[in-house]
Structure formats: structure tokens, C-alpha cells
């Protein structure tokens, strides 16, 4: 993948939507910078940029709930990423839920 095609924002970040490759569940939304994206491509496991801690984080490094990359895409505007993953442990959210999207709005 040629990451030079991607459009990172003014903070050097791009949103990444993470989806379970088996059933299509949207697990989470996180942000990546060029370094985390490069580490993801190299290791085939998801790495992100923590906006609050201002550091790289390897998803599941402490919990064991890593995300193994199956496929990655970027959208038509090249300003967002979709990662299809195998979610190890079936928990993606820091709350202990499978998905970060469990708060119903409507």
C-alpha cells in the first residue's frame, strides 16, 4: 500500500474504522498517524495513535485482545481507513464490550 495517497489531517491523523471480518460488526473508531499505519502494515496487527496520551499504542498490548489485520481499504476521498480484522478475545472496547458502539441514540 502506498500511504502517500492518504490525506492525513492537520494533526497528522486519519480516522480508522475497525470492522470484524467475520460478521461485519463495527468494533471501533480510532486514529492512526503515518507511524502507526506503517507498523500496522509491517506487523499485520492494529496500531493506533492515542490522542489523549500522545503516543503509539498496539491494540491489545495489555489486555491480549489484539486485532489481526485481514484487509485494509481507504475511502474514495483517501481521508479514512477501513480495517477488517480478526478480533482476538472478541472484546474491542476498553469498557469490556465487544464493540465501542453500544450506546443507542435512536
Amino acid at each position: 500500500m502506498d500511504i502517500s495517497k492518504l490525506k492525513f489531517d492537520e494533526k497528522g491523523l486519519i480516522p480508522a474504522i475497525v470492522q470484524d471480518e467475520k460478521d461485519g460488526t463495527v468494533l471501533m473508531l480510532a486514529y492512526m498517524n503515518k507511524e502507526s499505519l506503517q507498523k500496522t502494515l509491517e506487523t499485520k496487527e492494529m496500531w493506533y495513535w492515542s490522542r489523549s496520551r500522545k503516543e503509539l499504542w498496539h491494540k491489545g498490548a495489555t489486555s491480549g485482545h489484539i486485532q489481526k489485520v485481514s484487509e485494509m481499504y481507504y475511502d474514495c476521498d483517501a481521508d479514512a481507513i477501513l480495517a477488517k480484522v480478526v478480533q482476538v478475545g472478541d472484546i474491542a472496547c476498553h469498557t469490556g464490550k465487544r464493540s465501542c458502539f453500544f450506546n443507542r441514540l435512536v
Side-chain angles (χ1 to χ4, degrees):
M1 174 186 214
D2 179 9
I3 66 171
S4 68
K5 294 178 182 179
L6 298 176
K7 297 175 186 171
F8 292 84
D9 70 13
E10 65 282 349
K11 295 178 183 175
L13 302 175
I14 190 168
I17 301 160
V18 184
Q19 184 179 37
D20 186 295
E21 63 123 20
K22 288 182 269 182
D23 65 10
T25 299
V26 175
L27 299 172
M28 58 185 282
L29 167 74
Y31 289 85
M32 302 177 89
N33 63 8
K34 288 180 182 176
E35 186 179 3
S36 64
L37 180 55
Q38 197 60 48
K39 287 183 85 63
T40 296
L41 295 172
E42 289 169 7
T43 66
K44 303 294 190 241
E45 292 182 357
M46 294 302 293
W47 286 78
Y48 303 103
W49 176 256
S50 171
R51 294 176 300 159
S52 59
R53 295 189 314 266
K54 307 275 192 261
E55 65 184 14
L56 287 176
W57 59 285
H58 178 217
K59 180 65 177 167
T62 55
S63 68
H65 300 289
I66 62 171
Q67 295 172 334
K68 296 182 180 184
V69 178
S70 296
E71 301 173 85
M72 288 184 86
Y73 300 88
Y74 57 93
D75 73 339
C76 56
D77 295 321
D79 62 358
I81 291 173
L82 171 64
K84 295 188 177 192
V85 302
V86 173
Q87 177 65 57
V88 175
D90 207 35
I91 295 173
C93 186
H94 73 280
T95 65
K97 303 268 188 192
R98 178 167 190 248
S99 169
C100 293
F101 294 94
F102 58 87
N103 294 299
R104 188 174 179 126
L105 191 57
V106 178

